């Protein structure tokens, strides 16, 4: 177990686009494990590699008490027309919350830690988390999408 240092709003790395991961090696697996530990330590439900200073397309998500998704090169294939608006926060923007609209359902694709291409249909909080974390990979913060602040 290793904790990584979080990067916070104002750090330029959070505004850069992450690079595709071309091969899954020990460094990537360690990064994903460290990201899970860091997410849990900070009471998060998701974490993207740029949030720990690594410009790689990797995210981890756990919105269901221990069901961890380790996603390499995730991308959204489709979104529902119906949206959900809810309060969001972010480990990289502490003390800030705001209402953000996201699709209620998404279909996403990612590579898992064993190199398998996985397609997932997610809704509710998982769909929201996938969108939020993929935004991080593209240099977008939830604060860019706030409808109203709390």
């Amino acid at each position: 177990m290793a904790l990584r240092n979080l990067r916070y709003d104002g750090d330029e790395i959070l505004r850069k686009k992450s690079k595709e991961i071309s091969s899954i090696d020990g460094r990537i697996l360690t990064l994903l494990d460290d990201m899970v530990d860091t997410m849990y330590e900070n009471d998060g439900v998701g974490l993207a590699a740029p949030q720990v200073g690594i410009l790689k397309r990797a995210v981890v998500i756990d919105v269901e008490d221990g069901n961890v998704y380790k996603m390499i090169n995730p991308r959204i294939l489709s979104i529902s027309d119906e949206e959900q608006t809810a309060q969001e926060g972010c480990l990289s923007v502490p003390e800030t919350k705001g209402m953000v609209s996201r699709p209620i359902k998404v279909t996403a694709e990612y590579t898992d830690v064993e190199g398998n291409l996985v397609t997932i249909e997610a809704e509710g909080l998982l769909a929201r988390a996938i969108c939020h974390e993929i935004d991080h990979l593209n240099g977008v913060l939830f604060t860019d999408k706030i409808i109203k602040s709390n």
Side-chain angles (χ1 to χ4, degrees), residues 20 22 27 35 40 44 65 92 99 119 121 131 139 141 143:
E20 291 277 324
S22 57
R27 291 178 65 174
M35 287 170 59
Y40 287 150
D65 298 326
S92 290
M99 299 301 285
T119 301
E121 292 186 14
C131 292
L141 297 177
T143 51

Side-chain angles (χ1 to χ4, degrees), residues 60-78:
V60 297
I61 296 172
D62 177 1
V63 297
E64 300 170 352
D65 298 326
N67 185 17
V68 179
Y69 294 92
K70 295 178 181 179
M71 301 178 168
I72 298 166
N73 299 326
R75 65 187 189 104
I76 294 174
L77 300 176
S78 66

Side-chain angles (χ1 to χ4, degrees), residues 83-95:
E83 291 191 337
Q84 56 178 322
T85 301
Q87 183 171 275
E88 283 189 25
C90 180
L91 296 178
S92 290
V93 191
E95 311 293 321

Side-chain angles (χ1 to χ4, degrees), residues 81-113:
D81 290 334
E82 190 177 357
E83 291 191 337
Q84 56 178 322
T85 301
Q87 183 171 275
E88 283 189 25
C90 180
L91 296 178
S92 290
V93 191
E95 311 293 321
T96 300
K97 304 263 187 245
M99 299 301 285
V100 177
S101 287
R102 303 267 189 197
I104 202 159
K105 294 181 182 178
V106 300
T107 301
E109 179 180 82
Y110 66 94
T111 302
D112 69 13
V113 296

Side-chain angles (χ1 to χ4, degrees), residues 19-78:
K19 295 176 175 62
E20 291 277 324
I21 295 170
S22 57
S23 66
I24 301 169
D25 56 19
R27 291 178 65 174
I28 294 299
L29 296 176
T30 297
L31 170 64
L32 289 165
D33 288 343
D34 291 353
M35 287 170 59
V36 170
D37 293 339
T38 303
M39 174 182 68
Y40 287 150
E41 179 69 21
N42 291 280
D43 297 320
V45 297
L47 191 67
Q51 292 179 271
V52 293
I54 307 295
L55 282 173
K56 296 285 185 183
R57 296 190 76 78
V59 304
V60 297
I61 296 172
D62 177 1
V63 297
E64 300 170 352
D65 298 326
N67 185 17
V68 179
Y69 294 92
K70 295 178 181 179
M71 301 178 168
I72 298 166
N73 299 326
R75 65 187 189 104
I76 294 174
L77 300 176
S78 66

